[in-house]
Structure formats: structure tokens, C-alpha cells
Amino acid sequence: MPASAPVQNPTAHVVQSFLKHQYEICVYAKDMPYALQANIIDLNVETGLLVIEVECHGESFNSYVRDGKVSFDIETLNPLDGSVKNSALTRDIHSVSNIPTKAVKVDSSTYRLECQLPSSVFLLEQRGAVRIPFILGMRAKVSVEVYLDGLIVAGSLRNISVGGCLVDVAIEDTVPITVGQQLPGVTIEFPNGASFFSEGVIRHMRPFGNHGYAALGIEYVNLEPHQTEELFYIVNEAEREAAYRSGSNDRVVGHSPLFIPGAVEKAAIQREEKEQKKRLRQSPMQRGVLELAHQLQYSLMYIKSRDHFPEKVIYDCADAILYLLRQDRKALLYALAFLHNEPDWVRQAVRVAVQMADILLIRDPHSIHVREAVVGALLHTMGKPLLVSEELPTLKANMSPRHKEILKQHVVTLRSKLLSLGWKPSATCEDIMLHANELLDGTGYPFNLKGSQISDNVLVVSIIKAVSKLMYGRNGVRPLTPLNAYRLVSEAPQCYDKATLVEYIQCYGLYPIGSLAKFSGGFLAWIIDIDGKGMPIKVNVVKNLAFMDTNIDSVLEQGDFSQIGRLEGVVDPNDYGVIFHKV
């Protein structure tokens, strides 16, 4: 930005930069487990008056607008930094907190908020320090050391002061993190290669934006004199960069050296540009399924960090599954494939809940118990991340026998946690939540139920879980093809109900929707649709094995399959470098 008169309201200028792209804005509150989606109605860049509308049912609106003040996140997946050549096509987000607002009720569930944006992008903290937001494409990478010489979580810096910083991390990476936790190390790396290190403490944590991320408020602790000196330099340079980008100080005429990309950063930017283009091609159904996964992880955050059970969020997830199934069953089954990068416990929860609801609705479209069964399936695996500790530092690594024994406590752990929060599930929900791991011969856990002690709903869930575990390998065990997975389950009639297995196979076939198929012409394709006999009739071709470094995105109907050859079978995406990107 060339030198000119200072922008009259720099915060409004920052918000306006988001409006030039496809953006999302949500109103959040510290104590609420979900944000309210909002729309911007008007923005006066000169005065800083922002008008937004939100929908909120019930009495919870007062929790979002307290003492005449409101907070919101505004987010885009497009670059905001037009001043640096080759800026990365990556996610940008800006938070504005505790700003004066006047709320006007438009109708029974719609509110119009007239917000006065602050005249400075810099905020004064309670301790007197100035907090510098990373705006308009400012970037720095953060590595958070969760355990000493152990787990490290990667994130992005969103603001900084001499007292601490706000770090943006993937929601699945917050599982081992709690408020008040001591951090052995926090390392910030700037685009030019400069870095800063200190110990830290987690002071607060909340959902951040709309795409599966969380904000960690970190306080620096045990600073040595030289670290304090480095920190003051970094904060001053960040303030200079933010002033330059926002146009709030006409005396600042160039970028801070910290934010001029070096060779390593430029290479990373080019990789991000390629990956982001793939992310933006996701269908609404795929984004909906990912949102379900994110909401489950946000719920876990509130259960662990705030001792609050977000009942409404969980039931909203169940209702969304039932709605999506009735809207477009096959599109939902296909979208489940795109949970590939989500944590195992989340992927399992959503997949099992969807398939169980699917089978139960096929049996009885008017059943009044399906919703509660879905809630039970969504909650069943949530006890696993509750067990994460220094003794079980992660759920991602291959499990040792000792870790597997610890993990078997997940059902009992979940039940104890929910009881401590004062939440009592319905009988149907509790049956699925507690008994999904039980087997007919009594070798299941945690209660060793057998035979007639196991309900019909649990018989369905046990088949879904068994097939899912075999087809989506974990703990170092390779995934099986659907046929081989069915064969192994069939060979254990003492554990699984054979009639339910047959029902499952009839429902999903030997080439399930969402599987990756290999064709004789050397092509890989996702199966989008199958016919009544379970054979693919519509696929999305994504790779030609003759050109491994090139990706394809071409949908073919059955009549055009001759272009890619005959169907050879279902394969593992990991064997062929077929990857999924996190938005």
C-alpha cells in the first residue's frame, strides 16, 4: 500500500477486504458451544458502522450480546494479501471482540446488530500490553510442544503481544490440550526465517471460524532477559506490518523484514496454492459432512475444557444426518469418503451413525427411535480422546498392547464423564453408546454381554463397526477389500449376527459408494453411484497411473466406462498417493 492519508477506520478497512471474497462471518460467545452464522447487511468504511443479521432461536441470544457488546470471526479461504506477490491461497480469519452493538429484533428469530468497529486494529489488553492482530495476509507458523520431548502441534499465529499470543490449530489437534496446561515450548517462525521460542501456558481455548479450527490463547512464561528483548522487537515489527497493511499510519512505507518471505516460505506458498484449488472443489454435501465432524470435535472441546455437555450441538448433528439421508442418500454415502483426514474416532462416529441411520430407516422410515440411536453412535467413540494423556499421548500412532488396554476403558470413561456433567441419555441412546462393542459370544467389552442380552440396534452397529474397522485399516493393519472384510465377519458367526451381515451386504454391495476403484486402463476413480446389483454406474476419475503426478477430476457414467477399462476392484487410496486436503 503506497504512502497516503491514514485510513479513517482501519478495522472497517480490514473487514471490507474480506467482503471482496467469498466470506463467512459468525458471532461467538465465550460460554456458548456453537457460533451463530451471520450476514453482513451494510458497512460504512469511514465511520466503522457494521450492520449484521443473525438468526437465533430461543432465549440464547442474550448469551451472545452481553452488556451491549458482541464478538465475531470473519473468515475467507481466499488470499487477502495483495501486496506480496504469489501470496498463498490459504485461509484468512480476523476476530473482533467486545465491540459496542445495538440489537434490534426483526422477527421471532432474526436480530439486526448495529456494531461500532474500533478505530484501531490494535487492542489494549487487561495487563496494559498492546495486542497486534495478524491481518490482511500476515503470517507466521507456530509449533506448540504439548509434552516434553513428545507431541508437537502445528498452527498459525493470529495475534501477538509481549504477554502472549493466539494460535490457530486444527480442532483434532486440541484433544491432548486443556486450559491451564503447561507447554514445554512454543516456537514462532516468521516468513523470513526468524524465530522465537518460549515456554507457555494455555489460558483459553475456543472454536475458531467455520472450518474445523480452534484458537489457543497462550501466555509466555519463564522468559529470560534475551527472550523478552526478542519479543519486544517482534511485537514492534508486527505492529509496523499491521499498520502498513491496514493503512493506519502513513509514516510506515514498507514491509517489516520479518514478513518478507525467504526461499523456504516461497516454496511453501506455491504448495499451498496448488492444494487450496483442490479444497475449493468440495461439494456442499462434502462440506456438510466435514462440518458434522468439526462439530463433534468442538463438542469434545467443551466437554473436556469447560465441563459442559453441548446437548443441542450433538442433537443438531443427529438431525443433520437424518436430513441429509432423506435429501440425497447416495450423495451422503459418497461424502463419507472425504472424512479420510479426520481423526479415527470422529470418522468412525460419523460413518457408523450414518450407516446405522440408513439401515434403520430402510427397515422403518417412521421409526421414532432412530434419532436417539444416531446420538448414541455419535457419542460412542468420544471416550477415546477423553483418555488422551501423557500415558496415552496420541490416538494417531500405532497402539502398543498397553495402549490398547487403556483404550478399552473409553466407554466407561465416557459414561463417567457424562454423569459428572449431569447428562442422562435416553434408553436407546445409552444402549448404543455403551454396548456398541459387545459381541454375541460375550467376548466384547465392557460388560461381556452375550446372545439375547444384545439388542437388535447393537447387532446392526456391531456389523457396521466390524466392517468399517476392516475396510479402513488402522494401527498399522492394512485395509481389506469389501469382499474380504465381509468374508472375515462371516467367518465369525459366534460374534456377529449373520442375517444382519447379509442385510448390510445387500445395502452396500461389493463396491460400496465412496470406495476407490481401479480400472484396467490404469485409472483410479471414486464410486459415486451403484445399481441394484451393487455395480458402479457413476464414478469420479481422479488419477491415471501412467502419470502419477497428475490429478484428474472427471465424472463418467456407465456408458463411458470403456474409456477407462474394466473394473478390477477396490483399492486403498494410500497405495496410490490419492490424498485429501483439509480446508
Side-chain angles (χ1 to χ4, degrees):
M1 181 180 294
S4 60
V7 174
Q8 289 179 286
N9 190 295
T11 305
H13 171 63
V14 173
V15 172
Q16 185 187 45
S17 67
F18 283 85
L19 306 189
K20 297 175 183 177
H21 306 281
Q22 184 175 346
Y23 71 91
E24 297 173 79
I25 183 170
C26 59
V27 173
Y28 70 89
K30 178 182 177 181
D31 299 324
M32 299 302 288
Y34 56 92
L36 302 177
Q37 299 302 308
N39 293 308
I40 292 180
I41 305 302
D42 189 30
L43 173 65
N44 188 316
V45 180
E46 294 184 358
T47 66
L49 182 65
L50 173 70
V51 182
I52 62 178
E53 278 192 355
V54 299
E55 281 197 18
C56 185
H57 300 273
E59 299 178 355
S60 61
F61 178 75
N62 293 331
S63 298
Y64 292 91
V65 180
R66 291 181 174 175
D67 301 322
K69 293 184 178 180
V70 73
S71 303
F72 67 81
D73 296 326
I74 186 167
E75 181 178 25
T76 179
L77 298 180
N78 291 300
L80 295 182
D81 180 11
S83 60
V84 178
K85 189 177 180 182
N86 292 329
S87 64
L89 285 170
T90 191
R91 173 174 163 270
D92 264 295
I93 185 168
H94 182 56
S95 296
V96 182
S97 57
N98 297 318
I99 57 173
T101 187
K102 177 183 176 183
V104 178
K105 193 169 185 177
V106 177
D107 56 39
S108 61
S109 61
T110 304
Y111 295 83
R112 180 166 294 188
L113 306 181
E114 298 178 0
C115 311
Q116 181 56 55
L117 297 174
S119 58
S120 173
V121 294
F122 309 124
L123 298 178
L124 193 65
E125 295 184 324
Q126 291 180 350
R127 295 186 294 268
V130 176
R131 177 157 39 103
I132 313 301
F134 273 44
I135 55 175
L136 299 170
M138 291 173 63
R139 309 204 185 285
K141 299 174 183 176
V142 183
S143 297
V144 179
E145 190 175 351
V146 181
Y147 303 125
L148 187 63
D149 298 324
L151 181 65
I152 294 178
V153 169
S156 300
L157 194 62
R158 291 304 179 184
N159 69 46
I160 191 170
S161 74
V162 293
C165 61
L166 189 75
V167 180
D168 183 0
V169 302
I171 182 64
E172 61 262 28
D173 290 332
T174 65
V175 169
I177 299 173
T178 57
V179 174
Q181 183 171 342
Q182 299 281 329
L183 302 174
V186 179
T187 303
I188 303 172
E189 184 178 345
F190 292 89
N192 73 337
S195 64
F196 170 77
F197 172 86
S198 86
E199 297 175 41
V201 176
I202 299 291
R203 291 304 182 197
H204 58 84
M205 179 166 60
R206 71 171 180 87
F208 202 35
N210 297 285
H211 295 283
Y213 291 85
L216 307 180
I218 299 175
E219 179 186 355
Y220 311 126
V221 295
N222 302 326
L223 291 176
E224 299 288 341
H226 74 275
Q227 291 174 300
T228 301
E229 185 178 340
E230 290 175 20
L231 190 54
F232 271 96
Y233 167 75
I234 286 170
V235 171
N236 286 336
E237 289 299 304
E239 183 175 1
R240 167 185 164 183
E241 184 72 15
Y244 174 65
R245 295 192 185 217
S246 65
S248 62
N249 188 339
D250 59 342
R251 294 192 296 269
V252 181
V253 296
H255 290 288
S256 160
L258 286 178
F259 295 90
I260 298 176
V264 174
E265 180 70 10
K266 287 179 180 178
I269 284 172
Q270 291 176 351
R271 288 195 301 271
E272 287 182 18
E273 286 178 340
K274 293 178 181 178
E275 292 176 0
Q276 186 64 19
K277 291 174 183 176
K278 299 171 187 174
R279 298 170 191 153
L280 295 175
R281 290 200 294 263
Q282 289 178 334
S283 71
M285 185 68 82
Q286 290 163 17
R287 290 194 294 271
V289 167
L290 287 173
E291 177 63 17
L292 283 172
H294 298 158
Q295 290 302 322
L296 281 182
Q297 293 171 83
Y298 289 141
S299 297
L300 172 69
M301 178 193 298
Y302 276 80
I303 289 171
K304 285 190 65 176
S305 295
R306 301 189 184 178
D307 285 334
H308 168 73
F309 180 70
E311 182 178 48
K312 182 180 185 302
V313 176
I314 298 296
Y315 275 89
D316 283 349
C317 288
D319 291 339
I321 286 174
L322 297 175
Y323 171 78
L324 294 174
L325 266 175
R326 292 179 171 118
Q327 184 186 51
D328 194 335
R329 171 184 177 267
K330 290 182 176 180
L332 177 56
L333 294 175
Y334 177 57
L336 292 177
F338 295 86
L339 292 171
H340 188 274
N341 281 347
E342 299 303 313
D344 279 344
W345 73 270
V346 177
R347 184 172 67 242
Q348 180 86 335
V350 177
R351 178 177 294 278
V352 170
V354 168
Q355 291 190 330
M356 186 188 65
D358 186 34
I359 291 174
L360 294 184
L361 287 175
I362 290 173
R363 287 180 173 183
D364 180 3
H366 307 293
S367 172
I368 61 173
H369 300 294
V370 176
R371 185 182 191 232
E372 291 297 327
V374 171
V375 171
L378 290 174
L379 291 174
H380 169 70
T381 56
M382 199 173 282
K384 294 181 178 181
L386 288 175
L387 287 167
V388 170
S389 63
E390 289 199 63
E391 189 177 12
L392 181 67
T394 178
L395 299 176
K396 295 180 180 180
N398 293 343
M399 294 286 170
S400 68
R402 182 172 62 87
H403 288 153
K404 290 179 181 178
E405 285 303 311
I406 294 174
L407 209 56
K408 281 189 175 182
Q409 302 170 20
H410 74 91
V411 173
V412 175
T413 299
L414 176 64
R415 182 174 66 169
S416 298
K417 184 65 175 179
L418 295 182
L419 284 174
S420 73
L421 299 181
W423 188 73
K424 173 66 176 172
S426 69
T428 300
C429 172
E430 187 174 54
D431 182 36
I432 298 295
M433 187 177 74
L434 298 185
H435 304 146
N437 294 313
E438 303 291 351
L439 300 175
L440 287 173
D441 63 354
T443 59
Y445 67 91
F447 305 114
N448 305 116
L449 302 182
K450 61 169 57 177
S452 60
Q453 294 176 303
I454 299 176
S455 69
D456 286 343
N457 283 344
V458 171
L459 293 179
V460 173
V461 171
S462 64
I463 291 292
I464 295 171
K465 288 177 81 276
V467 173
S468 178
K469 182 178 179 180
L470 293 169
M471 285 175 52
Y472 301 90
R474 51 187 172 175
N475 291 332
V477 179
R478 286 185 54 79
L480 300 179
T481 64
L483 178 60
N484 287 334
Y486 298 156
R487 182 179 291 120
L488 271 184
V489 176
S490 178
E491 290 172 353
Q494 73 280 8
C495 296
Y496 303 103
D497 182 64
K498 203 151 190 176
T500 306
L501 174 62
V502 171
E503 182 181 14
Y504 182 95
I505 297 172
Q506 289 173 339
C507 194
Y508 301 111
L510 298 180
Y511 304 98
I513 291 172
S515 301
L516 185 67
K518 184 173 181 290
F519 290 80
S520 61
F523 291 90
L524 301 180
W526 292 109
I527 298 173
I528 298 176
D529 196 4
I530 57 177
D531 60 18
K533 297 180 180 180
M535 297 300 294
I537 56 174
K538 186 178 182 181
V539 300
N540 180 20
V541 183
V542 292
K543 193 173 283 290
N544 181 348
L545 297 181
F547 304 95
M548 287 293 290
D549 295 332
T550 303
N551 294 313
I552 309 171
D553 184 17
S554 180
V555 175
L556 294 182
E557 304 283 349
Q558 187 177 24
D560 298 317
F561 283 6
S562 59
Q563 300 176 31
I564 55 177
R566 58 180 174 78
L567 177 65
E568 291 188 338
V570 172
V571 296
D572 180 8
N574 295 319
D575 288 344
Y576 296 93
V578 176
I579 58 177
F580 300 79
H581 300 277
K582 180 178 176 62
V583 171

